[in-house]
Amino acid sequence: MIPGASIVVIEGVRARDSAGEAGRPRGSLVGATAALGPGVHAVLGAPEDGTLALAELLAGRAAPLAGRVLVAGREPFRSAAARARIGVLAAAPELPDGASVASSMSVALRARGAPSSGAAALLEPLGVAPLLGRRKASLSFAEARAVELSLALGVPQPLLICLVEPFADVAVPSPEPVRERLRALAAGGACVVLITSSTADARALADRIHVLDRGVIARTEPGDGDRLAGAPSAAAPGAARPEVELHVLLHERAPDAPGARALAAALASAPAVRACAWEQGPLDASSTLRIRAADREAAALAILDAAAREDVTLAAIASPAPSMHDVRAATALHLVAVRPRRPFGAPTAGAAPLPGAPSPGPVAVAAFGVPPPPGPAPSDPLPGPAPVGMLPAAPGDAAAGGQIGADPPLPDGSPHPPETGRHDAR
């Protein structure tokens, strides 16, 4: 294998899973295309987006309806040699038949040409060695997945490790040994694919994050995931950098001591901060500020400087992962910008519309690596979705009632709850 060359190639794949009731499809792929090299790749999506269909293809459990899937140049569905070098954790346990865990693991190890006596050595690093002496029928769902995870991570000379939700419903004492093993496998030249709906897991481990949206790989972002909740800059040339969010936890001391309100006021003039929402807690407790900024490092320095000036005690500065709702909203903006197309069945340009038919709007069809359409850049960049409670302030907003950037009264005329502020810095 040439260093850096693609290990997994997915070309125009159409496929359906069999995860629904009575074997009916739950999700499908409708033209997915990607090329994955060594490293850790996260495929972010839900079963309805086709994640389980993709897992079945990569594991060699099914063949695509159209297109092709190659692992090191071979189709895993047709190549036993390729499957022997693919480690798989499926969505549901699939341990081989056996009265005990030891006998089930022996069958699996012999099937891939490994010594059957190595079962204990696979379970020990994950802290689940006591499961070896259990009856297979006595294992819970999460325990059975822990055994299968140990088998997947112990594949000899692995080409591909494909894991479905490896940090959910898996009975391992700590996820850290799993992360360390995955990083080691990737460093050794394997392609590690995490199929997950958790943006936190994807950001924490992956080198690249591939968003699977309604059957296509719609976008790919760096592993830190800064752009997951914003439309990528490539989709809108000249647009501002996507925003990141920081959560600041601080201690409230005496009644007259500076706290969340003072820190939010100090950040009002910080160029690195675009918006700040604060929720003040009671004395001897913690308050929280939510900061929106274009650059995480610059915003963190601004927070530290403001805290030092105001004599505020910080407990933590964290960067939360966006939700799948945020990712889907941003991906929709991305797809519209990348490749707008007419709806299926709509008349071509110049054709008369059907009687009574509504005016068709653009339909986004995702394509991996498709450049933006030619033409001038839009005058107004497509913004990413703003987090709840952090909407931009209207011009002329001023502090009211002791709050920074106070919200207007509720529909019944009552004010918002006290000690909750919001400031938008522009």
Side-chain angles (χ1 to χ4, degrees):
M1 180 72 60
I2 300 173
S6 297
I7 296 175
V8 175
V9 176
I10 303 168
E11 295 180 346
V13 167
R14 292 178 55 246
R16 294 189 294 267
D17 63 36
S18 55
E21 294 184 5
R24 289 192 292 269
R26 186 176 176 186
S28 61
L29 301 175
V30 291
T33 298
L36 311 180
V40 182
H41 300 263
V43 177
L44 186 61
E48 291 73 20
D49 294 314
T51 55
L52 300 183
L54 178 61
E56 291 179 357
L57 296 178
L58 294 180
R61 310 283 173 81
L65 301 175
R68 63 175 184 168
V69 175
L70 300 177
V71 176
R74 298 179 178 181
E75 296 181 85
F77 181 70
R78 295 180 171 86
S79 174
R83 290 196 301 272
R85 298 178 64 183
I86 299 175
V88 178
L89 175 65
E94 298 178 347
L95 281 173
D97 291 335
S100 66
V101 172
S103 60
S104 294
M105 292 187 70
S106 295
V107 172
L109 291 173
R110 286 197 302 270
R112 67 191 188 195
S116 59
S117 59
L122 297 180
L123 295 174
E124 184 65 35
L126 302 188
V128 292
L131 297 178
L132 190 62
R134 294 267 299 274
R135 292 184 300 109
K136 178 189 169 185
S138 72
L139 296 180
S140 67
F141 182 90
E143 289 171 337
R145 275 176 51 87
V147 174
E148 291 196 354
L149 178 59
S150 68
L151 285 168
L153 298 181
V155 170
Q157 299 180 324
L159 291 169
L160 169 65
I161 305 295
C162 178
L163 310 177
V164 178
E165 298 291 0
F167 303 106
D169 289 326
V170 179
V172 295
S174 170
E176 194 53 38
V178 179
R179 295 191 182 103
E180 292 177 357
R181 178 59 178 162
L182 292 176
R183 293 188 186 103
L185 289 169
C191 177
V192 176
V193 178
L194 307 180
I195 297 179
T196 181
S197 60
S198 169
T199 59
D201 289 344
R203 294 180 68 191
L205 193 60
D207 302 312
R208 304 290 289 174
I209 301 174
H210 311 271
V211 179
L212 186 62
D213 184 79
R214 288 165 290 185
V216 293
I217 297 178
R219 52 191 289 215
T220 297
E221 302 295 350
D224 57 14
D226 280 350
R227 298 205 301 258
L228 278 176
S233 56
R241 291 180 61 185
E243 291 182 337
V244 297
E245 184 173 347
L246 295 175
H247 288 184
V248 182
L249 190 67
L250 55 92
H251 293 305
E252 296 292 345
R253 297 175 293 179
D256 56 345
R261 179 167 21 190
L263 184 58
L267 291 171
S269 58
V273 175
R274 291 184 178 177
C276 175
W278 55 274
E279 298 174 359
Q280 186 165 336
L283 295 182
D284 299 325
S286 298
S287 297
T288 302
L289 275 77
R290 300 193 310 276
I291 305 295
R292 275 171 48 195
D295 184 87
R296 180 187 291 110
E297 288 74 19
L301 290 175
I303 294 167
L304 294 174
D305 289 343
R309 291 196 309 269
E310 298 297 328
D311 191 25
V312 174
T313 303
L314 299 183
I317 301 177
S319 180
S323 67
M324 276 302 299
H325 174 78
D326 297 332
V327 174
R328 290 185 186 281
T331 302
L333 294 175
H334 170 75
L335 296 181
V336 170
V338 169
R339 194 177 180 186
R341 286 183 57 179
R342 64 187 178 87
F344 178 78
T348 57
L354 296 176
S359 175
V363 171
V365 178
F368 182 83
V370 175
S379 56
D380 294 326
L382 295 174
V388 176
M390 302 179 69
L391 298 177
D397 276 358
Q403 298 177 8
I404 300 174
D407 290 312
L410 297 173
D412 60 0
S414 60
H416 282 266
E419 297 305 326
T420 299
R422 186 188 72 228
H423 168 73
D424 293 306
R426 298 292 176 193

